[in-house]
Amino acid sequence: MENVIQYINSNLEKYIEELKDFLRIPSISSDPEKKSEMLRAAEFLMSKFSEMGFENIKILNPDEGHPVVYAEKNVDPKKPTVLFYGHYDVQPVDPIELWTSPPFEPEIRDGKIWARGATDDKGQLYTHLKSVEAFIKSGVDLPMNVKFIIEGEEEIGSPSLPKVIKANKNLLKCDVVVISDTSMYDEKTPSITYSLRGLAYFQIEITGPNRDLHSGTFGGAVMNPIQALCDLLSGMKDKNGKITIPGFYDDVLPLTKKEREGFKKLKFSEKAYMKELGVKELFGEKGYSTLERTWARPTLEINGIWGGYTGVGAKTVIPSKAYAKISMRLVPNQTPQKVEKLLKAYLSKVVPKSVTYKLETLHGGEPALTPIDNVAIKTAALAMKKAFGKEPVFIREGGSIPIVVDFGRTLKAPVVLLGFGLSTENLHSPNEHFDLNNFHRGIQCSAYFLNEFSQVK
Ligand code: BES
Ligand code: MN
Ligand code: MN
C-alpha cells in the first residue's frame, strides 16, 4: 500500500494537469448548445479508462440524453466490486462578470483549483479515477473489481439514469456504491454524509387580463397577476418559517434525539456562518437549529420571479402575466409525487378567481437516508482516517443527488457518500474552486478504501 500512496504523492502534479484538461470542457447540461461538449467530456473520460486498461468501456444510453459513461476493470470474480458514481456535467456560469478567472480556464491560486465543476463534481470524481490508476501504474495488484458509472445529467435531475440503471442491473452489480459529490463538515473535518434532501421543482404562471393594460385606465378594477403571485407565494410560509400547504409535513421523518445531540456536538457557529454569508440575522423554521433546518427539515424557496416591466425608466402597465420558479427541499419520507399533489390541491383552493394559473413540474428527486451500520461505511471511515489523519464525522446535507435512492433500491448495495468538497467552494456560483489538498487526500482516501474493503468483504 505504501507504494501506491507514494505513487499518488509523486504524481499529484500530473493529476492536476489532467484535471485542468477535464475542467476546460464546458459541459453545461442545461444548455442545448453544449451538446457536443457533453460528448467531449464523455470521450475524455472514456479515453482515460482506455489508457488504464479498463474493459467494456461504453455509453449506456446511445439513443437519448447526455451520455452515461460506463467502464470496468475486473481482477478476480471472487473479489468484491465497487461501483463509483459521479457526474461530469456542470451548472451554468452566469453571472460571468463575477468570476476572477474565466470558468473554463482553470487556474491554481492559493492551493486551490478555480473553474466551474472543480468541486462539483469533476474534481471529486477524478479522485477515484486516479486512485485506481495509482494501483495499476505502480504495479501493485488492484485489490478489487472496479466499475464506474458517470452521468452528464445530474444537474438537470438525472432524467435518463434511473432507466439506465434498471436496464443494466446485472452489469452494475456490485458490493458497494461510492460517491464523492458532497462536502466535508469543514476544512478540518472529514465527513461521511448519510442523508440528502430531495427536491420538487415547479414553475407557476399566473394570468390576469388577456393583455397588458394601461395602469391608469384599468388600475383599481382588475387583479394584477404579479400582486396575486406575491400574495400566493407569501402565503405559502408563515412568520415562523413553517410551510402552510396542508399535509406538507405529514410524512416528515422527525429527527431522533441522538441525531439532534450529534449535530449539537459539531459546535456549529451561527456567528461565523452569518459573517461568511454577509447577513445580520438568520431565518428559518422556528424550533430548529441551522444544521437541523438545512439538513433534516424540508423547505420551500422561491428561485426566481418575473413579469411586467423591468426595463429602464418607468412604464405604467398592469401586466397580463406573472411567473415564479419555486422548489421544495424534501426530507425522508416525503416524495416529490405526494408534494406535487398537495401543492395542486392547495393552489386550487387559494388562487383567487380574478386570475388563472398554470403549474408545471420541472423536476424532482427523492430524499436519501443511507444506513450507517455496515462494513462499507466502517471501511470508508477507516479510509478517511488514514487519508485525512482524523476520524470522520457523520453528517446529513441539504443538497440533493436524486440517483442515490435508485442505487440502493435497484442494486441493493450500500451507498457511501465520501465528501471531499467544502460548502465554501462556491458550487453553483461564480468562482467555484476545489482545495488541492483535499483533492490529494481524496485520491489517497479512495485508494485506502479499495485496499481495506477488499480485506473485510
Ligand atoms: N453535488 C450536488 C449535491 C450536493 C450539494 C450535495 C451540496 C451535498 C451538498 C449536486 O450536484 C447538485 O447540485 N444537485 C442538485 C440536484 C438537482 C438539480 C436535482 C441540487 O441539490 O440542487
Ligand atoms: Mn454534484
Ligand atoms: Mn451540483
Side-chain angles (χ1 to χ4, degrees), residues 34 61 66 116 150 209-210 266 290 294 324 373 396 435 453:
K34 295 288 190 294
N61 58 336
H66 297 313
R116 170 58 88 228
I150 306 173
N210 58 12
L266 293 170
T290 298
T294 54
D373 191 20
R396 297 174 68 152
D435 188 312
F453 194 75

Side-chain angles (χ1 to χ4, degrees), residues 419-446:
F420 304 135
L422 293 171
S423 60
T424 49
E425 288 181 329
N426 295 336
L427 42 162
H428 296 203
S429 46
N431 300 313
E432 180 175 348
H433 56 277
F434 187 31
D435 188 312
L436 288 172
N437 189 39
N438 292 336
F439 177 59
H440 186 183
R441 305 263 166 229
I443 302 170
Q444 294 181 345
C445 177
S446 177

Side-chain angles (χ1 to χ4, degrees), residues 230-274:
C230 290
D231 293 348
L232 173 71
L233 295 177
S234 67
M236 282 180 165
K237 230 188 232 177
D238 69 17
K239 62 178 189 319
N240 291 325
K242 286 252 187 250
I243 293 149
T244 56
I245 300 168
F248 185 79
Y249 291 96
D250 284 0
D251 299 330
V252 168
L253 186 73
L255 275 148
T256 63
K257 205 168 153 233
K258 202 170 146 207
E259 277 184 300
R260 297 191 90 164
E261 280 162 7
F263 292 5
K264 261 202 203 114
K265 282 204 196 103
L266 293 170
K267 299 250 178 313
F268 179 81
S269 162
E270 301 208 328
K271 229 170 127 191
Y273 188 74
M274 288 193 283

Side-chain angles (χ1 to χ4, degrees), residues 87 89 91 119-121 124 153-158 181-183 193 196-197 199 201 329 363-365 397-402 423 427-428:
H87 64 93
D89 64 322
Q91 286 277 330
T119 186
D120 185 14
D121 175 42
Q124 293 207 54
E153 298 184 327
E154 197 276 343
E155 301 290 7
I156 52 172
S158 304
D181 190 25
T182 49
S183 304
T193 299
L196 293 166
R197 290 197 288 189
L199 188 67
Y201 205 125
R329 291 286 167 174
H363 58 56
E397 284 202 77
S400 312
I401 307 175
S423 60
L427 42 162
H428 296 203

Side-chain angles (χ1 to χ4, degrees), residues 6 18 46 83 86 101 109 124 133 143 216 230 259 271 298 307 412:
Q6 256 307 315
E18 281 180 37
M46 294 202 287
L83 175 68
S101 53
R109 298 193 301 272
Q124 293 207 54
E133 191 196 78
C230 290
E259 277 184 300
K271 229 170 127 191
K412 311 243 178 313

Side-chain angles (χ1 to χ4, degrees), residues 75-81 141-145 175 454 457:
V75 290
D76 181 349
K78 289 195 284 299
K79 294 264 169 73
T81 302
D141 286 342
L142 188 60
M144 53 191 284
N145 306 303
D175 299 284
S454 70
K457 181 71 193 183

